[in-house]
Amino acid sequence: MTDAHDTAADHSLRTTGGAPPDDGGSSATEAPLPLLEPREGIPPVIADEAALAEVVAAFAAGSGPVAVDAERASGYRYGQRAYLVQLRREGAGSALIDPVACPDLSALGEALSGVEWVLHAATQDLPCLREIGMVPTRLFDTELAGRLAGFPRVGLGAMVENVLGFVLEKGHSAVDWSTRPLPEPWLRYAALDVELLVDLRDALEKELDRQGKLDWARQEFDAIASAPPPEPRKDPWRRTSGMHKVRRRRQMAVVRELWQTRDRIARRRDVSPGKVLSDAAIVEAALALPADLHALAALNGFGQRVGRRQLEQWQAAVDRAKALGEDRLPQPGQPVTGPPPPRAWADKDPAAAARLSAARAGVTALAERLNMPPENLITPDTVRRVCWEPPKPADARTVAAALTGYGARAWQVEQVTPVLVTALASGTDRGA
């Protein structure tokens, strides 16, 4: 272990200007140190079953939490699969695994079952890890811990610098991780991402405990670890950027046809859909409803770089949408399963609008006192649902039950229930 890493181990909470405001006035004058190399050097990339078996055995024999990270090729490849998995554990060192060459990491996942996994922004990496057989039963999310502890900047680089006093080089975060072979500077960056993750976890655990929030964080981590995979998004084409400009049902059908055609091509070619056709081009074609290839080619996104064959497939999608019967056109908007948009509340239900205004003010004030973002104290959707259809009577018992029913954790229910009971009563009085 180098002197720099000895320093990291000694600093339970070293701050450089980004600590929680209630940190008791502590501050550090030392400049942050650049972290340039993993302590044992850049590990070799694991790309065959024999080497993977050695890693599985080593990490199973290690001790303490395991740091886990994954790199994707967002913006380059179709989907969100992992193209590199990084791990580090006491007694095992660091490992870099190529999940393209070793697509089944379930043996590693099983070897680490019951071990606490340390991830940064866990919900971003868990879906791609799940695809290759790695599913934690326990975890510690350092980004979420930073939010709960009141850090204003919670990216990994900012947290490592503000808490441990080291600077991580972040120049390769948006590269194409599907590249093979991976360049050495990228591998160094990847290994350093897990180098101090357990150190960061330990320091944040102490800070959360100092603030009386450690149990809250554990409830949040348990909720993430036990959450089922998200349901496939219904009508994903509706999320096309610029969709708000599309008003008519026929135009919406064009968006749907172009989006679905683009998705099939992107999946077949394994490239990001945006590299096949931009969202802006889809919306432009939907608004224009081009009559032929000449009209389509005149639109932004369908110009000189698009060959005739490609233009024909896009025009065919437009023509399919134009030929649909009225009964097959998409309906405007999506079925609403919850409250209407808050901007409509004042007209639809003034009393509900008053309740929501009071609730938002109360939650914001409480979040400020607890030194955390309001959305981590309670989700805005939960607040809206309780305010739109409050339980009757709206007392502590019924409000707590409603919050629990919407998925709030026990600590959130305890903190937020008194605020919402007061808001529901005062808001109803004002709205009457």
Side-chain angles (χ1 to χ4, degrees):
M1 182 180 290
T2 66
D3 291 341
H5 291 98
D6 284 330
T7 303
D10 290 342
H11 286 197
S12 61
L13 185 68
R14 169 179 173 169
T15 67
T16 58
D22 67 343
D23 66 351
S26 66
S27 62
T29 57
E30 301 172 58
L33 302 174
L35 193 63
L36 303 177
E37 288 287 338
R39 65 192 80 176
E40 297 98 7
I42 303 172
V45 177
I46 304 303
D48 61 69
E49 294 303 320
L52 178 60
E54 293 181 4
V55 166
V56 170
F59 274 79
S63 61
V66 57
V68 182
D69 191 20
E71 304 295 347
R72 300 177 297 280
S74 303
Y76 298 94
R77 295 290 183 172
Y78 185 87
Q80 294 294 316
R81 69 173 295 184
Y83 283 94
L84 187 70
V85 175
Q86 308 101 280
L87 304 100
R88 182 171 184 83
R89 192 180 189 195
E90 185 70 28
S94 295
L96 302 177
I97 303 175
D98 180 356
V100 178
C102 301
D104 182 5
L105 299 187
S106 56
L108 179 59
E110 292 169 6
L112 297 173
S113 179
V115 175
E116 182 187 85
W117 296 20
V118 184
L119 301 101
H120 192 81
T123 55
Q124 294 183 18
D125 287 340
L126 289 179
C128 70
L129 291 171
R130 183 180 288 111
E131 288 180 359
I132 54 179
M134 295 186 65
V135 182
T137 54
R138 297 169 51 215
L139 65 83
F140 189 107
D141 186 332
T142 49
E143 186 206 43
L144 181 53
R147 291 181 182 277
L148 296 175
F151 284 85
R153 298 167 58 226
V154 293
L156 180 59
M159 293 296 292
V160 168
E161 180 176 343
N162 294 337
V163 176
L164 300 176
F166 289 91
V167 178
L168 290 178
E169 194 275 311
K170 301 298 289 183
H172 304 300
S173 59
V175 299
D176 180 3
W177 288 96
S178 68
T179 301
R180 292 297 183 273
L182 287 165
E184 181 177 294
W186 299 12
L187 296 175
R188 179 182 296 107
Y189 159 88
L192 288 174
D193 264 3
V194 293
E195 183 77 5
L196 294 179
L197 205 51
V198 173
D199 299 83
L200 180 61
R201 172 241 181 266
D202 293 344
L204 289 172
E205 181 180 60
K206 291 179 181 178
E207 177 64 12
L208 288 166
D209 188 40
R210 186 187 71 79
Q211 294 186 26
K213 300 175 181 176
L214 183 56
D215 183 61
W216 301 358
R218 287 172 175 159
Q219 291 180 40
E220 293 298 304
F221 303 155
D222 289 345
I224 295 173
S226 61
E231 294 289 331
R233 196 183 302 276
K234 185 178 180 181
D235 292 344
W237 58 270
R238 292 183 184 271
R239 295 180 63 83
T240 302
S241 180
M243 189 68 189
H244 63 282
K245 303 175 186 177
V246 181
R247 305 289 186 181
R248 292 158 49 193
R249 294 174 63 202
R250 184 73 58 187
Q251 295 172 331
M252 294 171 63
V254 173
V255 173
R256 181 175 64 186
E257 287 293 332
L258 286 172
W259 190 98
Q260 292 175 345
T261 300
R262 179 184 71 173
D263 192 66
R264 287 193 296 269
I265 296 170
R267 184 187 295 270
R268 184 178 72 246
R269 291 169 51 189
D270 189 21
V271 296
S272 169
K275 290 186 175 295
V276 176
L277 187 68
S278 69
D279 280 9
I282 290 178
V283 170
E284 180 123 355
L287 296 176
L289 294 175
D292 51 34
L293 288 182
H294 180 74
L296 181 65
L299 300 177
N300 290 332
F302 297 93
Q304 296 178 349
R305 296 185 179 181
V306 179
R308 182 176 180 85
R309 184 177 177 184
Q310 291 175 300
L311 280 175
E312 288 174 347
Q313 68 186 359
W314 302 130
Q315 185 62 46
V318 173
D319 292 342
R320 286 195 300 272
K322 291 166 69 174
L324 289 175
E326 289 289 329
D327 60 328
R328 298 180 61 192
L329 296 178
Q331 295 297 324
Q334 294 174 285
V336 177
T337 57
R343 62 180 178 274
W345 285 30
D347 292 331
K348 291 178 177 292
D349 189 338
R355 291 193 294 266
L356 181 61
S357 178
R360 283 174 164 174
V363 167
T364 298
L366 177 59
E368 289 177 355
R369 291 198 299 273
L370 295 175
N371 189 28
M372 68 174 65
E375 63 271 18
N376 291 116
L377 175 58
I378 192 72
T379 67
D381 180 68
T382 297
V383 174
R384 287 193 294 268
R385 289 175 183 270
V386 171
C387 290
W388 183 251
E389 293 185 356
K392 296 180 181 179
D395 57 25
R397 180 184 62 81
T398 59
V399 170
L403 290 173
T404 301
Y406 291 130
R409 266 67 74 190
W411 75 271
Q412 294 175 314
V413 173
E414 180 182 3
Q415 294 296 321
V416 174
T417 293
V419 172
L420 290 187
V421 169
T422 300
L424 293 175
S426 62
T428 299
D429 292 342
R430 288 201 303 270

